[in-house]
């Protein structure tokens, strides 16, 4: 659009005698006020429209990058929350195991006092207690780290104010992904939308580079009043105007316009490649998230069966030891395996939930049917 400005200026100067038409030194003043249009370019060839379109697409691409960052933060907060809840549950299981081992130590201590248990068995039980307590301290340290990570992502301390979970992670249910979803769902991903806007911006730059080969027409105009005295500036006889069109046709520029056009075309090709790569990354991330969700569900079933077997093994080992049919080493090994199985199962349950977060992010924020479940 043309720039319309209120203009007021004054000029006073002296012309020496040898340069004056009258051969006498002249001192003159000029006062002028009015509205001015300064160098307005008529966009016959669409150069300015192309530049405007390119700038608009760049703004839209930047806004999509902001949305992508927001989505990344949302997914990061969700994953950090899951990590904290995983450690909370693992810590609870480890504390329960440590309490059970301390009770076993108390019982074997009494047995040792009455001669019903050997010192070797007592030290073996003490080993289980120390291992369980060491695991508790490790998980307490990890819990503090997870709280700090969550506070950092949220931007304020929130981890310490979270209420305990009313149910374990195993009770959380993920929404099922409906079959037959179109691949067009990926168009909601902000990185794909941003890549598309960058491609459009690069294509608009080609139009601007081509228009540089054509003539440029600029208009400069002024309308107002002028006088050689300030008190006569706004009298009717002082009306003044000027109109100055300017046409510039490039003839020789050392190949600059052609180089700019070539550069714009190369950048457009580069934007096409970047868009294709963004599409490929989107498909890969969705495939990875779906694959992780499927195989983690399979692993979870296997580990649930393994945990049931370890629980039965620990029970039978204690019965066998109490009846004198086996040594306490069998009980010790069964208890260690049971603790490891419970910890591993909780980690897999968290990994399965994290795969849903990854799927939510890979789909560009998902939809109402794919939203992350509320704990």
């Amino acid at each position: 659009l043309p720039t319309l400005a209120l203009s007021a200026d004054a000029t006073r100067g002296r012309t020496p005698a040898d340069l004056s038409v009258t051969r006498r030194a002249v001192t003159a003043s000029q006062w002028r006020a009015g509205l001015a249009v300064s160098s307005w370019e008529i966009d016959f060839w669409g150069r300015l429209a192309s530049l405007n379109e390119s700038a608009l697409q760049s703004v839209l691409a930047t806004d999509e990058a902001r949305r992508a960052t927001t989505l990344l933060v949302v997914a990061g907060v969700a994953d950090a929350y899951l990590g904290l809840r995983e450690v909370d549950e693992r810590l609870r299981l480890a504390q329960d195991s440590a309490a059970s081992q301390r009770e076993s130590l108390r019982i074997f201590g009494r047995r040792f006092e009455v001669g019903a248990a050997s010192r070797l068995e007592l030290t073996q039980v003490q080993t289980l207690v120390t291992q369980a307590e060491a695991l508790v301290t490790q998980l307490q340290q990890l819990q503090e780290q997870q709280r700090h990570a969550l506070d950092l992502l949220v931007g304020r301390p929130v981890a310490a104010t979270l209420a305990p979970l009313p149910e374990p992670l195993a009770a959380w249910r993920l929404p099922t992904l409906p079959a037959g979803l179109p691949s067009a769902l990926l168009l909601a991903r902000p990185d794909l939308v941003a890549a598309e806007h960058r491609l459009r911006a690069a294509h608009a730059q080609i139009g601007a580079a081509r228009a540089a080969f054509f003539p440029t027409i600029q208009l400069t105009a002024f309308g107002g009043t002028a006088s050689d005295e300030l008190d006569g500036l706004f009298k009717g006889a002082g009306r003044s105007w000027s109109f100055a069109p300017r046409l510039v046709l490039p003839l020789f520029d050392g190949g600059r316009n052609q180089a700019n056009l070539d550069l714009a075309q190369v950048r457009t090709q580069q934007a096409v490649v970047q868009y294709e790569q963004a599409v490929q990354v989107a498909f890969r991330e969705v495939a990875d998230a779906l694959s992780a969700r499927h195989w983690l569900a399979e692993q979870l079933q296997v580990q649930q069966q393994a945990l049931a077997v370890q629980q039965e093994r620990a029970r039978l080992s204690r019965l066998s030891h109490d009846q004198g049919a086996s040594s306490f080493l069998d009980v010790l090994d069964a208890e260690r395996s049971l603790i490891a199985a419970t910890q591993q199962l909780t980690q897999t349950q968290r990994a399965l939930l994290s795969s849903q977060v990854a799927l939510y992010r890979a789909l560009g924020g998902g939809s109402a049917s794919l939203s992350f479940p509320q704990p």
Side-chain angles (χ1 to χ4, degrees), residues 34-76:
L35 296 177
V37 176
S38 177
S39 299
W40 175 45
E41 180 179 344
I42 302 178
D43 194 24
F44 275 124
W45 322 112
R47 188 182 74 88
L48 298 181
S50 297
L51 292 176
N52 181 71
E53 177 65 17
S54 177
L56 175 62
Q57 295 299 328
S58 297
V59 169
L60 295 176
T62 304
D63 186 64
E64 290 299 326
R66 175 200 57 80
R67 194 164 70 91
T69 303
T70 302
L71 180 61
L72 182 63
V73 173
V74 170

Side-chain angles (χ1 to χ4, degrees), residues 137-185:
T137 57
Q138 292 174 4
L139 292 175
Q140 287 173 338
Q141 178 188 2
L142 185 58
Q143 184 185 55
E144 289 296 322
Q145 293 175 349
Q146 291 291 337
R147 287 178 176 176
H148 298 160
L150 182 59
D151 291 343
L152 178 63
L153 286 172
V154 176
R156 56 188 176 90
V158 295
T161 61
L162 293 176
L165 283 179
E167 55 188 9
L169 291 179
W172 290 24
R173 292 294 179 264
L174 298 176
T176 58
L177 187 66
L181 287 176
S183 60
L185 186 64

Side-chain angles (χ1 to χ4, degrees), residues 325-337:
S326 62
S327 66
F328 193 75
L329 286 177
D330 296 334
V331 178
L332 181 64
D333 184 62
E335 292 289 341
R336 287 173 178 172
S337 299

Side-chain angles (χ1 to χ4, degrees), residues 182-229:
S183 60
L185 186 64
L186 294 180
L187 295 179
R189 284 176 57 111
D191 58 338
L192 287 185
V193 180
E196 182 179 352
H197 285 306
R198 286 192 292 268
L199 177 57
R200 292 178 178 176
H203 184 72
Q205 287 289 340
I206 294 180
R210 285 175 178 170
F213 288 92
F214 299 98
T216 300
I217 301 176
Q218 295 180 347
L219 299 180
T220 301
F222 172 83
T225 180
S227 175
D228 59 352
E229 297 293 340

Side-chain angles (χ1 to χ4, degrees), residues 83-139:
L84 177 60
R85 289 313 193 185
E86 174 208 338
V87 176
D88 289 343
E89 186 165 335
R90 290 176 59 193
L91 178 59
R92 179 184 60 80
L93 293 173
Q95 289 173 339
D96 292 344
S97 177
S100 176
Q101 300 303 331
R102 284 192 292 269
E103 178 64 18
S104 297
L105 179 61
R106 186 189 66 81
I107 294 174
F108 270 85
R110 295 299 302 270
R111 288 182 179 182
F112 175 74
E113 291 175 358
V114 299
S118 65
R119 178 174 291 277
L120 176 61
E121 292 177 332
L122 180 63
T123 56
Q124 290 173 341
V125 177
Q126 289 174 340
T127 301
L128 276 179
V129 172
T130 55
Q131 290 177 347
E133 291 178 345
L135 179 60
V136 169
T137 57
Q138 292 174 4
L139 292 175

